[in-house]
Amino acid sequence: MKLDQIKALNPKRVIVLDTETTGLHPDGNDEILSLTIIDLEGTVLFNELVKPENRKRWPKAQEIHGITPAMVKDKQPLSAYREQLCDLWKRIDLVVGYNVEFDSEFIYSSSVPFSPYVEEFDVMKEFAPIWGKWDERHNDYRWAKLADCAKFYEVSDFEAHTSLGDTEATRQCFLALINDPKYISECRVM
């Protein structure tokens, strides 16, 4: 999708999302613990802690996001929201995220995958050339952390590693990025 097409989309049909998970492997036994979805205007469409259906502990991930087994033990599994989320997927034209591929892989491996497939915009990958730090090993621009992107675009303080905080920061970074004159002139969106 081209930048002018992205800018022409109805902001209610563009969602920004983030997950917090039990680990890094959606095709293994890692699962979503928290999912937040907002529209481009900042309206929260979904924001839930969810109980994993298989995992009982996730100590390494817990150190990063702070979600404990006790916090989700009485929550519904993600599958309980299937109807609500599948209805939402039908009404969107673009999914925005920071490392959106990570979040999408977890969603596609869950009981509530996007259907049909929805276009994605990865703020992390699109911001990398603007940030401008070269990675010799990968022969490409280095990906910045969301906190670095937020600082670059002077996004107000946010609570990192919470799906709601990261989603709002990503939304603000996305809007700043697609209106950044440098990005507009060097845009990598296809």
Side-chain angles (χ1 to χ4, degrees), residues 8 22 24-25 32 40 81 92 127 132 143 155 165 174-175 186:
T22 62
L24 302 174
H25 307 288
I32 294 172
L40 208 49
Y81 300 100
I92 59 175
F127 174 68
W143 297 339
V155 170
F174 169 73
L175 292 171
E186 300 176 14

Side-chain angles (χ1 to χ4, degrees), residues 7-26:
K7 287 184 170 190
L9 291 172
N10 178 341
K12 294 277 189 198
R13 295 186 59 87
V14 177
I15 62 166
V16 184
L17 60 77
D18 186 67
T19 62
E20 299 300 333
T21 65
T22 62
L24 302 174
H25 307 288

